[in-house]
Amino acid sequence: MISHDSIETAYSFFHQKHRVFIHSTLDWQKDNIEMAIAQYADGMDAELFALLAQNRPDFLHNHALFASELEEALNRLEEMLG
């Protein structure tokens, strides 16, 4: 069972990083955000990650898909928070 706290924490972290990411014009800053999100994803609740990733082991780890996957994760987490 995924705790409400795990969902809230992931949402807060992803939301904060997403806001900076979408407004940043600095490649190094965007790269740092990608690394921070990937590290967070590696250590987050495994059941929650599996639900967000939907059988994609590289979810939130693929540079080319990062922006869209982060938005996807945020949308799912927001739905879960209802």
Side-chain angles (χ1 to χ4, degrees), residues 10-46:
Y11 178 80
S12 295
F13 186 73
F14 288 179
H15 185 267
Q16 177 203 31
K17 298 300 182 195
H18 178 257
R19 299 300 301 161
V20 175
F21 185 85
I22 63 172
H23 295 291
S24 179
T25 58
L26 305 170
D27 288 339
W28 65 265
Q29 187 176 42
K30 287 184 170 193
D31 289 344
N32 285 348
I33 290 169
E34 285 188 45
M35 286 187 289
I37 293 288
Q39 287 177 340
Y40 184 88
D42 289 343
M44 72 187 293
D45 179 284

Side-chain angles (χ1 to χ4, degrees), residues 46-74:
E47 189 177 351
L48 179 56
F49 180 78
L51 182 68
L52 296 175
Q54 297 184 337
N55 297 318
R56 293 174 284 176
D58 64 341
F59 187 72
L60 297 173
H61 292 78
N62 182 327
H63 177 74
L65 301 174
F66 178 78
S68 64
E69 288 181 347
L70 181 55
E71 287 187 27
E72 179 184 336
L74 277 169

